[in-house]
Amino acid sequence: MFVTTGPAQASANLVNPNQVYSYTVMQRDIERVVKQYPDLVSYESLGQTAYGRQLFAVKLGRGESVLFLNGSHHAREWMTSSLLMKMIDTYAEAYNSNSKIGDYNVRSLLDEVSIWIVPMVNPDGVTLSQQGTAGLPVSLAQTLRQYNGNSTNFTRWKANMQGIDLNRQYPASWNTIKNAAKYPSYQNYKGQKPGQAPEVQMMMDFTHKIDPEVTISYHSSGEIIFWHFNTLNSNLTRDKTMARALGNLTGYSLVTPEKNPSGGGYKDWFIQEYGRPGFTIEIANYAGESSVPLNQFNRIWSENKEVGLYSATQSYSLWLTKQTIQYLQQSMSLVGGTELYSKIGAQAGGVQLQPQKIHVIARKGDWYQVQANEGQGWIHPSPGKLTIIEEIKATAELKVSSPAYKYPDAFSPKVTVLAPQTVQVSGRWGTWLLASTPSGTWWIDGRKAELKWPIEDTGQNTATEVETSGGIQLEPVTTP
């Protein structure tokens, strides 16, 4: 009836970056990664381009603080999309297997930070750059050839399919952009007004929605890092320190700030709008008006593998510093072993707390000040370990084999696998149920169970409420 199970093994290498990385391949890979890691990775569409392609945003991680990465503002720079997708795949697998990348504990970091990624800001342009005008209406193909200097070779194409350069479209010194084309073109046309391109408007709206602490826009090529745009003196030390760290990780050079920089880029707008660190990282040896050769990818990956992790640590630190203390004064259940520290941000020297009822005094960000049996201090519980358990009396029918967990989180240790059966339920937290089984009391995922509530009747019969995804229905049950 009960079978013990070891840690879940994830499939590695879901993303293959050693290919011409198209919009279609990216969409397939996003779906694969989300299916493999449904409790860690999710995605949404920010809307459609002028030619009907989706602008996909992928969320990796479970924290309240946010890092935002994006790629392929420019069509021929599609290797930045495969780099970001490789990053998602690699970080998700490391989280699932609870393994390190370099010196980074990926699981603890992604419990603190959510990394939002738009791998391909310009899917129309990428498709045109890779496939040319094949399959397009004759009139549109003719117009695009004119934008391309009457050439049928679109591998150099940077703009979207309206001939607008998306990284010259943001409202940051837009009126004074240098070297701008006067008409729609394969590159450098800034449009008639900032935010004209739907892709850019979606990016700005999404940025406002997720409120990131740090952003990185990936471009190619040149192995350089832009980090400054009319940056306030009060932010210079902070931003340059991060830029130097990114330079040390990648081996790329920092671009010297200009007194009157040409604007219009996402990084420019973000720094101007938020006053937070924003960076443009140009990968690869300079490739001129062409895409980066595939044989450079492995080196590029080794240079950038830890960029997202380093930037996530900085995002978390900036976010936590801004949080204010909230006084709670409430009783909660600590359902998994957790370290008790003397101060916020401590990494070592804590006292191990065992599962118990504790009094929560205050909260700052994702840290909690508590009074426990072992004393008073601060805890930084991972997801599912600190809960308010709703006491209930019900049964749950498991119609398929289901894992049982030590505490209510899909990444907590799995204790057993329960065969299909009916179990007694004594508590609930969110979608999780605290179930009594012959091997002990464990947590089960209520999304995989049918919860039934007994209702007393005045006669000889009772009824049972059955909680399903479609609501609650009553099942009559005759008592003997």
Side-chain angles (χ1 to χ4, degrees):
M1 196 173 201
F2 302 95
V3 181
T4 58
T5 181
Q9 296 299 312
S11 298
N13 301 319
L14 294 174
V15 173
N16 174 20
N18 295 304
Q19 60 180 316
V20 175
Y21 204 76
S22 68
Y23 169 76
T24 303
V25 171
M26 179 194 69
Q27 183 175 11
R28 180 203 67 193
D29 285 350
I30 290 172
E31 292 169 353
R32 282 180 174 177
V33 175
V34 170
K35 183 178 180 180
Q36 183 69 45
Y37 308 103
D39 295 291
L40 178 64
V41 185
S42 61
Y43 77 102
E44 62 182 79
S45 171
L46 307 187
Q48 289 190 346
T49 66
Y51 291 92
R53 294 180 179 86
Q54 304 293 324
L55 212 65
F56 291 115
V58 182
K59 181 186 179 186
L60 167 67
R62 312 170 73 194
E64 295 181 53
S65 62
V66 176
L67 166 67
F68 184 32
L69 312 177
N70 57 75
S72 290
H73 266 87
H74 290 144
R76 70 189 184 211
E77 300 172 18
W78 48 261
M79 188 176 282
T80 60
S81 298
S82 49
L83 174 63
L84 290 169
M85 288 300 300
K86 176 70 173 175
M87 203 176 281
I88 294 169
D89 186 21
T90 303
Y91 293 179
E93 194 281 328
Y95 184 104
N96 190 73
S97 61
N98 201 12
S99 57
K100 283 190 171 185
I101 294 178
D103 293 329
Y104 295 98
N105 184 322
V106 178
R107 179 169 291 189
S108 63
L109 183 54
L110 292 182
D111 282 341
E112 297 173 337
V113 184
S114 290
I115 305 177
W116 275 101
I117 300 172
V118 176
M120 192 176 288
V121 178
N122 184 8
D124 289 347
V126 168
T127 303
L128 180 63
S129 173
Q130 293 172 345
Q131 301 177 15
T133 58
L136 295 179
V138 173
S139 59
L140 176 58
Q142 183 178 0
T143 298
L144 291 170
R145 283 195 297 272
Q146 291 174 349
Y147 294 169
N148 197 34
N150 293 318
S151 172
T152 57
N153 182 357
F154 285 86
T155 57
R156 68 175 184 170
W157 190 272
K158 285 181 72 177
N160 70 359
M161 277 179 62
Q162 296 167 299
I164 300 173
D165 188 323
L166 298 183
N167 212 45
R168 292 178 171 228
Q169 261 278 285
Y170 292 90
S173 300
W174 183 85
N175 289 324
T176 57
I177 289 175
K178 301 172 185 176
N179 303 317
K182 295 182 178 180
Y183 305 103
S185 172
Y186 75 97
Q187 67 176 3
N188 296 348
Y189 176 58
K190 68 178 185 178
Q192 296 175 327
K193 61 180 180 179
Q196 173 186 348
E199 298 93 335
V200 167
Q201 191 60 58
M202 285 186 275
M203 285 287 287
M204 290 192 293
D205 290 345
F206 186 63
T207 303
H208 290 314
K209 174 184 172 183
I210 63 174
D211 195 25
E213 298 299 329
V214 177
T215 67
I216 294 177
S217 297
Y218 268 107
H219 286 253
S220 66
S221 53
E223 298 187 335
I224 53 178
I225 298 174
F226 295 89
W227 62 276
H228 187 285
F229 182 79
N230 297 326
T231 301
L232 297 175
N233 288 335
S234 57
N235 295 333
L236 277 175
T237 299
R238 178 199 66 188
D239 292 8
K240 192 167 188 179
T241 298
M242 283 191 64
R244 283 174 172 164
L246 291 169
N248 290 336
L249 277 176
T250 58
Y252 302 166
S253 302
L254 305 192
V255 175
T256 303
E258 295 182 56
K259 198 168 187 179
N260 296 299
S262 182
Y266 177 84
K267 175 265 297 176
D268 310 330
W269 170 78
F270 180 76
I271 293 174
Q272 173 185 279
E273 185 80 2
Y274 288 89
R276 301 174 188 171
F279 305 93
T280 296
I281 299 180
E282 301 266 4
I283 62 170
N285 296 327
Y286 182 65
E289 290 191 350
S290 66
S291 58
V292 175
L294 283 173
N295 61 15
Q296 288 196 37
F297 183 83
N298 289 340
R299 179 176 58 81
I300 292 167
W301 170 242
S302 67
E303 293 164 349
N304 288 273
K305 185 176 183 178
E306 297 180 18
V307 164
L309 300 173
Y310 165 75
S311 303
T313 63
Q314 300 305 303
S315 296
Y316 178 72
S317 178
L318 291 170
W319 173 81
L320 185 60
T321 300
K322 294 194 308 186
Q323 303 309 301
T324 57
I325 292 181
Q326 301 170 291
Y327 292 96
L328 303 179
Q329 303 294 351
Q330 65 183 136
S331 178
M332 298 183 74
S333 294
L334 185 67
V335 293
T338 303
E339 299 270 312
L340 178 71
Y341 300 103
S342 60
K343 62 180 181 179
I344 293 173
Q347 299 295 319
V351 176
Q352 184 71 16
L353 299 186
Q354 298 304 313
Q356 60 185 280
K357 282 271 191 181
I358 59 175
H359 181 70
V360 178
I361 301 166
R363 172 184 178 180
K364 181 178 180 181
D366 53 2
W367 285 78
Y368 295 82
Q369 187 181 32
V370 302
Q371 180 65 54
N373 295 335
E374 294 82 354
Q376 183 175 309
W378 290 88
I379 64 172
H380 189 220
S382 57
K385 285 190 175 181
L386 186 63
T387 70
I388 299 178
I389 300 174
E390 176 190 1
E391 294 184 2
I392 62 175
K393 290 183 179 180
T395 60
E397 184 178 351
L398 304 177
K399 295 188 175 181
V400 296
S401 295
S402 303
Y405 300 85
K406 282 191 174 182
Y407 54 88
D409 183 73
F411 293 96
S412 78
K414 296 179 181 67
V415 184
T416 65
V417 174
L418 304 178
Q421 60 183 287
T422 298
V423 294
Q424 297 296 316
V425 175
S426 59
R428 176 166 63 176
W429 182 67
T431 61
W432 290 87
L433 303 174
L434 186 59
S436 297
T437 76
S439 66
T441 301
W442 312 112
W443 290 91
I444 60 174
D445 188 343
R447 295 171 297 182
K448 300 177 181 178
E450 190 176 83
L451 189 62
K452 297 185 177 182
W453 303 83
I455 301 177
E456 292 186 2
D457 196 7
T458 55
Q460 295 297 311
N461 297 332
T462 63
T464 302
E465 278 187 334
V466 181
E467 191 169 311
T468 67
S469 59
I472 294 178
Q473 62 188 48
L474 291 180
E475 282 187 354
V477 179
T478 303
T479 54

